Amino acid sequence: MKLKSGGAIIVACALLAAGIGMAAPAQAATTEITMVAAEYGGMAAFWKDFSDKVSAKYPDIKLSVDVVSWNDIDQKVATMVATKQYPDIVNKGDYSQYAAEDLLYKGDQMVTPAVYKDILPAFLNNSKYNGTVYALPDLASARAFFYNPAIFKKAGVKPPATWADLLKVAKAIKAKVPGVYPLALPLGPEEAQAEFQIWAGGNGGRYYANGKWVVNSKANLQTLQFLKKLVDLKYTQPNPAKCDRTACAQNLFAQGKAAMINGSVFLGSWLKTDAKSNVPYAITSFPAPKGKKAVTLGVQDYFTAFKKPNNANLDGVSKVLSMLYEPTNYLAFLTAAGGFIPATISGGKALANDKKLQPFIKLLPSAVFYPGDQPAWPAVKGAIQQTIGLGVVGNRAKSVLYAIQAKANAA
């Protein structure tokens, strides 16, 4: 039956009122942000909770996090990149390869200006490729100078501030506390590159500077000669080149057989949990030559974000990472990861009363880093680990450094 126009209008109005034959209101599109994150230990529960928080704050964003073991994460990300299945965010220990391929957003694009300003400058500087920040530090670790206050009391000495002080303190300990090595010096393969960088760093020495390898610099040679002097005077354990950090140096300290040692933020818990030791310890900054600035060794991992056409994922990435760096969420991330040091100013302030972390937090602004953005670094690090300890034997300091320099230049 053909309806008159008036009847058609009435029917249409009735259908409208009933909601029949009309399109439903458009729903806001959901943006999925994918992340591949390293497993520090217990991270799955944290990321599940954080993803729920993201959805509550931003209903149009779904954060999906794949937590992957350190053994597998490099290969997984490499495969995703090779097949162009780029994750939006990656959390792991390197970034420069993908920065070199122009696949990453810049650091100041990844978070709000306020969050970017909150990140410690030393760690942003270590997140650069060709002078531009392409990654953000997820967490930090540092080293400090541990000493046994009971041994120091017996020797009648105070913590050394300079290399000259260290020689005097070591001499007193050797004379007044028999059976104790003044300094545990691990230059064995496990982590010789860290031990030497800390001592050399305080003397202004680096492995790489101003666009070139400088392993054989004057500052590095002076440092190796100073360490050799400590060995020659028997202020260290015998044969540092065969002494690894954990099995040798830390065990000597745990047994009360070494008065001083370079230690990480986890040394205190290692002494109690792994070594079952009640040895007393205190923490201070590293000795440096008079007139030079003491440093610490900074270690960090990174957040990176892969670009999508027309920056389609940038808004979601920025919201997720900016929210993650909010103090409450960020401190929860650090706790889940095992108690690392915050790489943000606000995080450091929030932990102002944490007696375990504060000494390390105070040292962070003076952190120096490995040249991890250099493709040759793995080969150079291996050479340092295997041979730097030989430089404290005989008159080999110069030849050892020059041999490592040659490998660096050839790599």
Side-chain angles (χ1 to χ4, degrees), residues 332-397:
F333 169 78
L334 295 175
T335 299
F340 283 87
I341 307 169
T344 62
I345 297 169
S346 60
K349 290 179 179 178
L351 296 176
N353 295 321
D354 189 313
K355 294 181 180 180
K356 174 186 173 183
L357 293 180
Q358 264 306 308
F360 296 90
I361 292 173
K362 290 180 179 178
L363 293 173
L364 285 181
S366 63
V368 296
F369 299 87
Y370 299 135
D373 60 334
Q374 296 302 310
W377 171 238
V380 177
K381 180 176 73 171
I384 295 169
Q385 289 173 315
Q386 296 299 323
T387 63
I388 197 73
L390 302 176
V392 298
V393 180
N395 295 312
R396 300 181 63 183

Side-chain angles (χ1 to χ4, degrees), residues 395-411:
N395 295 312
R396 300 181 63 183
K398 187 173 182 178
S399 63
V400 164
L401 290 179
Y402 272 74
I404 299 172
Q405 177 73 31
K407 289 187 176 182
N409 292 339

Side-chain angles (χ1 to χ4, degrees), residues 1-12 15:
M1 182 176 64
K2 185 176 180 181
L3 292 173
K4 294 182 180 180
S5 60
I9 294 173
I10 292 172
V11 172
L15 292 172

Side-chain angles (χ1 to χ4, degrees), residues 250 254 266-281 356:
Q250 288 185 182
F266 301 109
L267 179 55
S269 60
W270 181 89
L271 289 169
K272 291 184 178 181
T273 304
D274 296 83
K276 310 298 182 185
S277 172
N278 291 317
V279 66
Y281 66 86
K356 174 186 173 183

